[in-house]
Amino acid sequence: MTEPSKVLHVRNVGYEITENDLLQLVQPFGVVTKSVMLRAKNQALIQMQDVGSAVNGEKCLHSVLFTSRTDYSGSEPSRAQPGFQALIQYQSHQSALSAIDALQGRNIYDGCCQLDIQFSNLSELQVNYNNERSRDFTNPALPSEQKGRSSQSGYGDAGSMYGLQPPGTRAVAFPQVCVDQAFLLAFLFQMGDAAAITAAFSGGLPPGISGTNDRCTVLVSNLNPDKFDEDKLFNLFSLYGNIVRIKLLRSKPDHALIQMGDGFQAELAVHFLKGALLFGKQLEVNFSKYPNITPAPDTHDYSNSNLNRFNRNAAKNYRYCCSPTKMVHLSTLPQEITDDDLVTHLEEHGTIVNTKIFEANGKKQALVLFETEEQAAEALVCKHATSIDGSIIRISFSQLQTI
């Protein structure tokens, strides 16, 4: 078996997946020193700063096939790409039928990874462990592995995890769909499937998020009315979903209604922003009693805004949802940007501790560390979608702790 190394070998990279997408994927695990896209083979090589970072990335990013090489030397890897299957049990027969109707024959990425979906011979799944190979989304209390046995079992022992339960253990037997592709979860994720969205959070949704909420509109209060407007609210809440409309309540200047794209996105916003400090105020974010915001002259409509982040690469955006942090990530920067340019553009919002500019897929990006989370949040809401030397920049919170 090849010893772990600093280089991750990524297979099945669709042509629409950019180098930047891959770098964003591995960013939480450490510093990337080199990356090479092997477009002819739909593969990529990503070299981390150290072996530990590469090992952590390989373990956590199990939805993508990684294999290690000793170091990047410019030679291309093997074309071998093993096939995989997955079993998915839906809550109802109709849901399984809908999945087959919608997804059979579809490609996960354009031109590759075609799905072959059919009903399984099993009528019910028995899942014993919640880990990278199996998960019961109705029972988050399951152990990750059997005592004394590693959860890194081979793909040939599926029967022990997906076996048929004894007759009579449930009143109703639900069908599941068998899918012949390793990227199933990522694809369903982009299709809006709740189970796949759950998988983005390491298989378990954050506490307090059900994944079944159908209320799309949230009420945010205790705003600083002298500092906030609709666009600043958009910049903040669009981190957690697409924004449909925003309305400031004129009778209560420190209140606003925000209609998200769906109930799950609204849940994320409530979870991650409740209690956030901004402009000297601690935000209160709750679900509104109103199901939606009626279009009106005093309502801002963002449904067609090209700044909505979840129209493309929804899976990646869900994956990086988090509460405000001290670190912000900037992208679509001008090629000639310097650290001094970053400081000049952002320093009015707080004390900048450190900055780092790097290049991914031929485009400049940066990390900026502020002294406090409130300062970073202020910089984000005020400077997202602003211009530096003609480039409209994008800002989001980074989960990295240090540069």
Side-chain angles (χ1 to χ4, degrees), residues 151-187:
S151 63
Q152 301 283 348
S153 50
Y155 285 92
D157 64 348
S160 64
M161 290 189 178
Y162 303 118
L164 184 63
Q165 290 186 346
T169 55
R170 287 196 182 184
V172 180
F174 300 128
Q176 62 279 334
V177 177
C178 180
V179 184
D180 184 18
Q181 281 300 342
F183 285 149
L184 170 67
L185 286 183
F187 182 69

Side-chain angles (χ1 to χ4, degrees), residues 17-315:
I17 301 301
T18 66
E19 185 176 10
N20 180 45
D21 292 332
L22 293 177
L23 294 177
Q24 288 279 357
L25 189 68
V26 301
Q27 183 187 46
F29 307 105
V31 176
V32 176
T33 59
K34 295 179 183 177
S35 63
V36 176
M37 300 292 286
L38 307 173
R39 287 298 186 187
K41 295 180 178 289
N42 292 331
Q43 299 175 9
L45 297 173
I46 301 175
Q47 182 170 316
M48 309 298 288
Q49 190 173 42
D50 52 62
V51 174
S53 298
V55 170
N56 289 336
E58 190 275 335
K59 287 181 179 179
C60 294
L61 300 174
H62 52 80
S63 63
V64 180
L65 295 178
F66 286 128
T67 59
S68 294
R69 294 170 62 95
T70 57
D71 205 346
Y72 173 61
S73 61
S75 59
E76 294 184 342
S78 167
R79 297 181 68 91
Q81 297 180 358
F84 289 89
Q85 293 187 340
L87 294 170
I88 299 175
Q89 179 174 329
Y90 282 87
Q91 189 175 29
S92 68
H93 178 81
Q94 184 57 47
S95 295
L97 281 174
S98 297
I100 291 179
D101 290 341
L103 302 177
Q104 172 64 8
R106 292 285 299 276
N107 291 334
I108 294 177
Y109 298 119
D110 288 346
C112 68
C113 303
Q114 187 178 45
L115 296 172
D116 178 17
I117 309 176
Q118 56 190 307
F119 283 112
S120 167
N121 291 329
L122 300 178
S123 60
E124 180 114 1
L125 296 184
Q126 178 179 333
V127 175
N128 298 320
Y129 311 110
N130 283 341
N131 55 34
E132 72 279 1
R133 292 198 58 243
S134 65
R135 187 160 301 277
D136 186 339
F137 294 102
T138 68
N139 187 6
L142 285 177
S144 61
E145 60 185 89
Q146 184 177 353
K147 188 176 181 180
R149 177 183 175 184
S150 170
S151 63
Q152 301 283 348
S153 50
Y155 285 92
D157 64 348
S160 64
M161 290 189 178
Y162 303 118
L164 184 63
Q165 290 186 346
T169 55
R170 287 196 182 184
V172 180
F174 300 128
Q176 62 279 334
V177 177
C178 180
V179 184
D180 184 18
Q181 281 300 342
F183 285 149
L184 170 67
L185 286 183
F187 182 69
L188 291 179
F189 196 0
Q190 294 174 352
M191 296 292 291
D193 185 271
I197 291 172
T198 302
F201 296 94
S202 301
L205 290 173
I209 295 181
S210 67
T212 61
N213 171 65
D214 60 0
R215 293 175 291 177
C216 300
T217 304
V218 299
L219 174 67
V220 56
S221 59
N222 203 33
L223 295 167
N224 186 329
D226 296 327
K227 298 287 187 179
F228 263 109
D229 58 22
E230 291 87 350
D231 288 344
K232 289 185 174 67
L233 285 170
F234 173 89
N235 290 346
L236 180 62
F237 279 80
S238 64
L239 290 169
Y240 309 102
N242 287 336
I243 306 300
V244 180
R245 297 183 188 92
I246 295 178
K247 181 177 182 177
L248 298 177
L249 304 186
R250 305 303 177 188
S251 59
K252 297 179 179 179
D254 65 338
H255 286 57
L257 290 172
I258 300 171
Q259 183 178 339
M260 309 290 290
D262 58 42
F264 181 75
Q265 295 176 357
E267 275 197 295
L268 291 176
V270 170
H271 174 77
F272 287 119
L273 290 179
K274 185 184 286 289
L277 286 171
L278 203 52
F279 300 119
K281 299 281 190 177
Q282 189 169 36
L283 302 186
E284 186 61 37
V285 185
N286 295 289
F287 294 107
S288 170
K289 63 181 180 180
Y290 299 104
N292 50 58
I293 300 175
T294 303
D298 60 347
T299 297
H300 281 227
D301 192 303
Y302 294 92
S303 57
N304 295 318
S305 173
N306 58 9
L307 293 175
N308 270 318
R309 302 173 189 250
F310 290 75
N311 290 327
R312 294 182 65 255
N313 296 322

Side-chain angles (χ1 to χ4, degrees), residues 303-364:
S303 57
N304 295 318
S305 173
N306 58 9
L307 293 175
N308 270 318
R309 302 173 189 250
F310 290 75
N311 290 327
R312 294 182 65 255
N313 296 322
K316 179 184 72 174
N317 284 291
Y318 279 123
R319 190 181 305 121
Y320 291 110
C321 286
C322 65
S323 297
T325 66
K326 298 178 184 179
M327 186 93 71
V328 292
H329 173 264
L330 295 87
S331 58
T332 63
L333 295 168
Q335 283 296 111
E336 304 303 320
I337 194 165
T338 65
D339 291 282
D340 288 341
D341 294 332
L342 288 174
V343 172
T344 299
H345 196 68
L346 300 175
E347 64 182 346
E348 67 180 288
H349 303 293
T351 302
I352 296 176
V353 177
N354 202 357
T355 63
K356 179 181 179 180
I357 297 174
F358 57 96
E359 189 167 307
N361 200 29
K363 298 179 180 179
K364 287 295 179 70

